[in-house]
Amino acid sequence: MKVFSGILPLLLMPFTVILLTAAAVSCSHPGNDWSEYRGLPSEGWCYGDTLRFTPAPYDSIATGHLMVAISHEADFGYSELWLEVLTTDTDGHVSKDTVSFPLSDNYGRWKGTGLATHFQMTDTLHRRVTLVKGVPLKVRHIMQADTLRGISQVGIFFIPD
């Protein structure tokens, strides 16, 4: 019986650590991470249509990195997608980032993840950004086409420092 009583606390230790960690995490306030998706019409994404995303981090100002996600169909007619992302900092200064998404390799195979005819690709902007709660981000395509067909969604993810 003494052997069992010495082993029991060792067996319960991992469970206790997990329980205490879960309790501590549940008491903390939510982080500044944020994400939002916009669906595009089945008729296509017109050149002049700018998508607006409204950041909602926990703090009123948060610094970190933006990731842009593109969901597209297998019949998308281009191997690459060019986007312009506009952000506004705390001073009202607007920054433009040009993002290139190489969606397929040299052999025409889609690079993103997905099943059957639907794929998703994600890329990170190469500079830190400061989000101001409620000040919109804007995304538009800058392809040489009036209307892009085959893009179903555009998403923005914010990962705080």
Side-chain angles (χ1 to χ4, degrees):
M1 198 57 139
K2 274 191 165 203
V3 173
F4 183 71
S5 65
I7 294 175
L8 187 60
L10 292 175
L11 293 175
L12 292 177
M13 191 178 304
F15 176 73
T16 305
V17 169
I18 291 171
L19 185 62
L20 289 174
T21 303
V25 169
S26 67
C27 294
S28 64
H29 66 78
N32 282 324
D33 55 332
W34 162 80
S35 65
E36 192 173 336
Y37 268 91
R38 290 280 180 260
L40 294 168
S42 58
E43 305 84 47
W45 187 6
C46 294
Y47 183 78
D49 290 348
T50 301
L51 304 175
R52 298 170 76 85
F53 298 88
T54 305
Y58 182 78
D59 294 325
S60 59
I61 298 173
T63 303
H65 292 280
L66 282 180
M67 294 179 70
V68 181
I70 301 296
S71 294
H72 68 92
E73 305 300 324
D75 62 354
F76 183 63
Y78 301 92
S79 62
E80 189 172 28
L81 175 66
W82 287 85
L83 298 176
E84 182 179 75
V85 180
L86 293 106
T87 57
T88 306
D89 64 15
T90 55
D91 297 327
H93 179 260
V94 177
S95 296
K96 291 182 186 180
D97 288 288
T98 302
V99 181
S100 168
F101 281 89
L103 298 174
S104 69
D105 63 16
N106 292 337
Y107 301 103
R109 292 182 296 233
W110 296 116
K111 289 183 172 185
T113 58
L115 296 171
T117 63
H118 192 81
F119 298 91
Q120 180 169 326
M121 185 80 176
T122 306
D123 198 4
T124 304
L125 295 184
H126 298 291
R127 68 172 181 87
R128 289 180 50 198
V129 297
T130 300
L131 288 186
V132 180
K133 191 176 204 172
V135 176
L137 304 169
K138 299 174 185 175
V139 177
R140 68 182 188 105
H141 80 81
I142 51 174
M143 301 285 287
Q144 294 182 348
D146 287 337
T147 304
L148 286 180
R149 288 172 178 62
I151 301 290
S152 54
Q153 290 183 334
V154 176
I156 296 284
F157 300 86
F158 179 71
I159 300 160
D161 289 339

